[in-house]
Amino acid sequence: HAQNRPASGRAQIRLESSSSPSPSPSPSPSTSESSPTIDQQIQLKNVKPRTGLAQTLLNFALSSPLWKLVLVPQARQNIVKTAQANGINWTNSYEFLMSQDGPWNNDRGETGTKKIQTSSIGGGYPDFYTKEFHAYENGNLCWDAAIEQELASRAVGARNFPEFGPDGEDAFRESFENALLSLGATVSEGGVVVDLGCGTGTSTRRLASLFPQASKVTGIDLSPYFIEVGKYLLKISPKGQSEGGPWVTTIKNDERIELVVGSADSTGFPDKSVDVVNLSLVIHELPLSVTC
């Protein structure tokens, strides 16, 4: 989905890549009191829950211990196998990062986990963000999810773009960047780029390369775990496996990049202070009530 908002100051462009269709806009009611709730909007669209034997079995599996004990480990094993089969050495990269003197080795206990969560977001986390997600019991609020994010991203890219092998993710992200430029995304000399939902900074680093004239490229993510891993990767700047290095991609430190913990709906940036705002691979992961 693309949105171009010309302004008297800097242009702001948002491009969202999503595997899910956007909800159709509802007619604006005359008063805010008459605005239908999300549930009412779904009812008006005659959207019905899935039914049938297959759905019943799926619901049972998701609500049973089978989900955690069998299905989740199996899902993780499958993505690891996909990576290995496409020339992406998941195991080596994972062990490399885990062996580093990062905060995940200094802060693995329950006390440390609570500390990093409560000290990072002033208003706390939305309910949906604290639930199980992507086979991680604590969702994005854990070290394993952060450490494996770039590994999983490479594996998914290779799976979805098999003709490019281990570089499938690059092919996908490059097509996204080309679309961003085709929409007119420009950055003035010394301008600012913001990357919302940046994860460990894969898209942030690519935006920094795409716009070398920018003076600042800020990545914002709700997870302090992802931000800490992203900062550490910039600090150690490992070479990628294609260059004989230990990481899945080559990372170059860029002093213009800043990764911060924060929420996309409250960035603190003044109006018309940013040239390009990027929101990539985020919306399709959110509940409908959050995206509307």
Side-chain angles (χ1 to χ4, degrees), residues 112-121 125 138 141-142 224-225:
T113 299
K114 289 182 178 179
K115 180 180 178 181
I116 195 172
Q117 290 184 23
T118 57
S119 64
S120 300
I121 299 294
Y125 294 101
N138 294 316
L141 296 174
C142 66
Y225 298 91

Side-chain angles (χ1 to χ4, degrees), residues 67 72 131-137 139-140 145 148 284-285:
W67 169 249
V72 169
K131 300 182 185 301
E132 295 181 19
F133 185 63
H134 280 171
Y136 300 103
E137 186 172 356
N140 287 343
E148 294 184 336
H284 72 285
E285 304 280 17

Side-chain angles (χ1 to χ4, degrees), residues 66-143:
L66 180 69
W67 169 249
K68 292 182 181 179
L69 298 177
V70 178
L71 298 181
V72 169
Q74 184 177 0
R76 187 182 182 281
Q77 290 174 9
N78 286 340
I79 197 69
V80 173
K81 289 179 180 179
T82 297
Q84 302 285 137
N86 284 278
I88 302 165
N89 199 322
W90 178 301
T91 302
N92 280 7
S93 290
Y94 178 83
E95 292 178 351
F96 159 73
L97 198 52
M98 284 298 298
S99 69
Q100 300 298 303
D101 186 26
W104 45 90
N105 283 325
N106 302 324
D107 190 19
R108 296 284 289 185
E110 180 65 17
T111 302
T113 299
K114 289 182 178 179
K115 180 180 178 181
I116 195 172
Q117 290 184 23
T118 57
S119 64
S120 300
I121 299 294
Y125 294 101
D127 288 341
F128 75 87
Y129 201 73
T130 62
K131 300 182 185 301
E132 295 181 19
F133 185 63
H134 280 171
Y136 300 103
E137 186 172 356
N138 294 316
N140 287 343
L141 296 174
C142 66
W143 288 120

